[in-house]
Each structure stands twice: as C-alpha cells, then as structure tokens.
Amino acid sequence: MEINYADIAFTSYTVKIYFLAICTYITCLKIINYKDKKLTTKILIYLSLLIIAIITTIIKYNISYFTAMASLIFLIAFVCSLSTKNGIGYSILITIIALSLNYILFFIALVLDYTLNGIKTINNDFINLALMIVMQSLLLYKLLKIKKLKNGIAFFNKNVQDEYFNVIILNISVAILLSILLIPYISIDILKSLTIGFVIFIVIMIITIQRTFQLYYKHKLLIKELEETKQELKTTKEEIKTLELDNLNISKRNHTITHKQKVLEHKINQLMMKTETSKEIDLKDKVENLSKEIYNPVSTNELDKTGVESIDDVLDFMKSECDKNNIDFTLQILGNIYYMINNIITKDELETLIADHVKDAIIAIKHSNNINRSILVKLGRIEENYGIYIYDSGIEFEKETLDKLGKIPITTHKDEGGTGMGFMNTFETLNRHNASLIIEEIGKPSKDNYTKIIKIKFDEKQEFKIISYK
C-alpha cells in the first residue's frame, strides 16, 4: 500500500490546530475568569473547534498560511463571543493574547521535543506530535495554576478594563504571533542562527508582561487610594451635614425653651406680686429646670382668656413685652380654643407660634418710625378655619428674607434676640398639619392702619402665599 504523505500532513496539521484551538479557548476563559459548567455547551464548543481546525487546515493548503491564522483567530473569537456573551472586538483581543501564549508554550514544547530527539531519535511524526501535545498540556496546566492567574487577569475583566494595558499586551501578542507565523518562511540555516535571538525575544516579552502586571497593580493601588480618599471626603461631608443638622435641632429646641422660660419668669413676677406662694414655688422649679438648658434674665388692661392656662400665660407675657416697648397689644379670641388644641394643633405648638410671631412683630415695630405702634392677634376660628392672624404696624419684610423663609434660619435683627428659627419652626408645624401660611403686605407704615398680616390657617391646603400691595 502506498503511503499518502499529503493526507498524513493534512491530518497531523488538523490535529495540531485542533489542540491549539482547545488550549486557546480554555486560556480565553481563564483570562476573563469565566466558568462554563454546562456539559452540552462544552460538547458543542469542542465540536465547533474541530470544524474550525478543519477549515483552517483547508485554507492553509489551498490559500495561504497567513489567511489560515487570521481565520483561526476570528473563528475562535466568534465562539468565545457566543459562549461568554462578550462583544466580538473584546473576544478578538482576548483570543490573540491567548493564542500568543499558547504559541510560546508550543515553541517551548518544540524545543523540549527537539532535545528529546537528540537523546533518543524518534522518527514517527504522530509520536512526536503526541509528545508535544502532552508537554504543552503540562506547561499550560502549570501556567494557569499560577496564583496571579488563578482568578483570571484583573485588567482584562470587562468591568474594569484599562485600555492602556490592553494595548500593550495586544502589541506584544501580535509581535509574538507574527514572529511564529514567519518561521515557515525562514530556511533551516537561518532559523538555527536565529534560535538564540528568538529565545531572547520571548524572554523579553515575558519580562514585559511581568512589568505590565506590576504597572497595572500600581495603577490599581493608586485608584484604590483615590477611591478611599473620595469615600473619606464623602464621610466627612456627611458628618459635617449631620453636625449642622444637630446644631439646627438644638437651636430649635433652645428657641422654644427661651419662649417658655420668659413666660414662666413673667408668671412668677405676677405671682410674687399676688403672694401666691404655692404656685410660685412650683413655677420657680420649672424655671430652674429650663435654665439648666438655656438661661436668659425678666399695664394695664386685662386680656380676654382662652381658658387654657399656658396659652393665656404666653399671651399675657407677650402683652407685657409690648407694654415695655410702648406697643398697643390687642387680642381677639374667636371660637373654642380647647377644641383647637385637642383637634387641630398641640398646645406646645400653639404657644411657640404665638411667641415667635408676636416677638417678630415687636422687633418690626421697634425698627419703625411709625407713630402707630400696635399689634393685633386673632386666635381661634377665623374665616371658616381655625388659625392665628397676627397684625402689626412695623417695618415690612425685606426681599432677601422672603426668599429664604423656611429654607434656612435668617434674621436681620440678631442683636435683639432674633435667631431666624421662628419661621423654621413655623414651616415644620405647617407641614405636620397641612396648614397654610399667607403673608399679606397691606401698605407702607401709616398712623391709621397695620402694615402686614401673618396668617396661619389650618385649612388642609398646605399653601404658602405672599400677597403684596407692591
């Protein structure tokens, strides 16, 4: 029987390419740390790689070696893309790198096989091929077990790709492939003389890859430090924001306590004048407790009574403050205040609203040259809704104040006890009860009318309006 050496060469090359394709595919998966666990998928892929090997061999013998290698790269990349669901461009990059690594291992296996043949001559091509496959398999197994490659190559992870490192590795891989592809076109004599140079070239490539790894990890460490710095900055900002909020809450609390303390001090002075000893002692204790949190040192016609003692105390105190500043204080009580504090708003909230806005009205009048110095407080059921209306004849609101109402604490009279917390507290109370705030500017200061009205209406509308004559 005549031996067909062409068929043997064809089969031998197909086996070699099939093995190389399998190794390249496995290396691709390892580089990106992808694990394919389905047996049916693996069988289909290995069958596809066999078809690719046959196609590549046919192209090599009928077209050209370069076309065959280009086809091999593209077809393996296509299979990788379908298997891992990555883009074809990314898969081509990984395939070129994986194929170049396997060609380096193939070259090492070839050198080992050549050395072995020098010791004991083996003339059978299939045995030589089998030995090379075994040696390359062992080399690949050892390579993929390296600690740095155990979970893939970090900078080829699709989520953290670094184009700079990818380009470096791609260039190295292309250089290796081109060097290997040129081997069949170099004569034996030239190849022997270039063997040492080629080995040196591969060593340089390995060192370059190692240096690239080092650069990558330094780059990664720098990014990590930057992220940690950003996180620390974010945490610091959050802590500052929390401290500012805590400070704001303390200011609100102190603001409310200040009103209560002044009301109690006023009540004590009245009781001391009336020698009501038992109530005096009780109220002094209350003042002392409040003074631990915040401390500040303390006519004629009787006001109408709401029937709620603490509300009456606040109103009476505010009247005394008006008397001290030569301001006429008028109170109109409409409807049932008991119903209001039991169903509409809490007693403490109502006390704070009255104190805040009457105090603001007193300050506004003190800064006005108007001969009309008067405040009117309407409390109870007004215009079909429960609410508080506070009229005053003082100066008008400044535009900046109106723009920032309820957003930040703002006051133009800090030296007179203004904290800017009054409207902050008011807006919080309005939000809790779906109430509305209407600021109505009636006109410029005049001797026969008020200049503005602060209307707080518990109407379930949660509106904020500014009505001005301007």
Side-chain angles (χ1 to χ4, degrees), residues 114 186-197:
Y114 181 80
I186 300 173
S187 66
I188 298 297
D189 293 334
I190 295 174
L191 184 61
K192 285 179 181 179
S193 63
L194 291 176
T195 299
I196 295 173

Side-chain angles (χ1 to χ4, degrees), residues 427-428 430-437 457-464:
F427 274 94
E428 286 189 5
L430 296 177
N431 288 335
R432 279 196 295 272
H433 299 286
N434 293 322
S436 297
L437 173 64
K457 301 170 69 175
F458 297 94
D459 55 4
E460 296 294 328
K461 292 182 179 179
Q462 202 170 356
E463 295 178 333
F464 174 44

Side-chain angles (χ1 to χ4, degrees), residues 155-343:
F155 54 81
F156 286 117
N157 187 309
K158 202 169 190 300
N159 296 322
V160 291
Q161 280 191 70
D162 190 300
E163 295 299 329
Y164 173 72
F165 294 115
N166 286 358
V167 168
I168 291 174
I169 300 298
L170 179 62
N171 289 337
I172 293 168
S173 303
V174 169
I176 291 170
L177 286 178
L178 285 174
S179 300
I180 291 169
L181 290 174
L182 288 172
I183 288 174
Y185 299 93
I186 300 173
S187 66
I188 298 297
D189 293 334
I190 295 174
L191 184 61
K192 285 179 181 179
S193 63
L194 291 176
T195 299
I196 295 173
F198 187 70
V199 170
I200 292 171
F201 178 71
I202 291 177
V203 170
I204 291 170
M205 293 300 163
I206 292 169
I207 292 170
T208 306
I209 292 171
Q210 185 184 21
R211 289 293 298 160
T212 305
F213 267 111
Q214 290 173 354
L215 284 171
Y216 169 74
Y217 287 118
K218 285 179 182 178
H219 180 71
K220 187 178 179 183
L221 184 61
L222 186 62
I223 291 173
K224 184 182 177 183
E225 289 176 353
L226 182 61
E227 289 299 323
E228 286 174 354
T229 304
K230 284 182 179 178
Q231 186 60 40
E232 286 176 7
L233 182 61
K234 183 181 177 183
T235 303
T236 304
K237 285 182 178 179
E238 288 174 355
E239 286 175 357
I240 291 170
K241 190 175 180 181
T242 302
L243 289 172
E244 287 176 347
L245 184 61
D246 290 343
N247 187 47
L248 184 62
N249 290 332
I250 290 169
S251 298
K252 289 178 184 177
R253 186 162 166 266
N254 287 346
H255 180 81
T256 303
I257 290 170
T258 302
H259 288 316
K260 289 186 176 182
Q261 184 182 13
K262 287 183 178 179
V263 171
L264 285 171
E265 286 174 349
H266 176 70
K267 182 73 172 179
I268 286 173
N269 289 333
Q270 285 186 323
L271 290 173
M272 286 177 71
M273 292 174 66
K274 295 177 181 178
T275 66
E276 296 178 1
T277 309
S278 60
K279 289 185 178 179
E280 176 187 344
I281 293 169
D282 179 57
L283 288 167
K284 277 186 177 179
D285 289 340
K286 290 182 180 178
V287 172
E288 286 176 0
N289 291 332
L290 286 168
S291 295
K292 290 176 183 178
E293 301 178 66
I294 183 169
Y295 178 76
N296 277 320
V298 259
S299 149
T300 46
N301 295 328
E302 290 290 327
L303 295 175
D304 292 337
K305 300 299 179 183
T306 64
V308 182
E309 185 179 1
S310 60
I311 302 294
D312 289 334
D313 289 343
V314 171
L315 290 165
D316 193 51
F317 169 69
M318 300 318 298
K319 181 182 183 304
S320 72
E321 291 292 299
C322 288
D323 290 344
K324 285 192 291 186
N325 289 282
N326 195 26
I327 297 170
D328 179 46
F329 183 81
T330 306
L331 171 65
Q332 292 181 10
I333 298 171
L334 307 166
N336 189 333
I337 305 305
Y338 273 111
Y339 177 84
M340 186 175 181
I341 64 171
N342 288 319
N343 298 278

Side-chain angles (χ1 to χ4, degrees), residues 17 20-21 52 56 67-77 95 99:
I17 293 298
L20 193 61
I52 289 170
T56 302
T67 307
M69 287 298 101
S71 302
L72 180 66
I73 291 168
F74 179 78
L75 292 171
I76 294 174
T95 302
L99 187 59

Side-chain angles (χ1 to χ4, degrees), residues 252 255 345 349 352-354 356-357 360 406 420-433 435-437 454-456 458:
K252 289 178 184 177
H255 180 81
I345 184 175
E349 288 172 331
T352 303
L353 286 176
I354 293 169
D356 281 340
H357 293 290
D360 287 346
M421 296 304 303
F423 271 102
M424 295 294 290
N425 286 335
T426 297
F427 274 94
E428 286 189 5
T429 304
L430 296 177
N431 288 335
R432 279 196 295 272
H433 299 286
S436 297
L437 173 64
I454 304 294
K455 297 181 178 180
I456 296 172
F458 297 94

Side-chain angles (χ1 to χ4, degrees), residues 77-96:
F78 183 72
V79 170
C80 286
S81 177
L82 292 176
S83 175
T84 62
K85 295 181 173 57
N86 287 319
I88 187 65
Y90 177 71
S91 297
I92 288 172
L93 168 68
I94 300 301
T95 302
I96 290 171

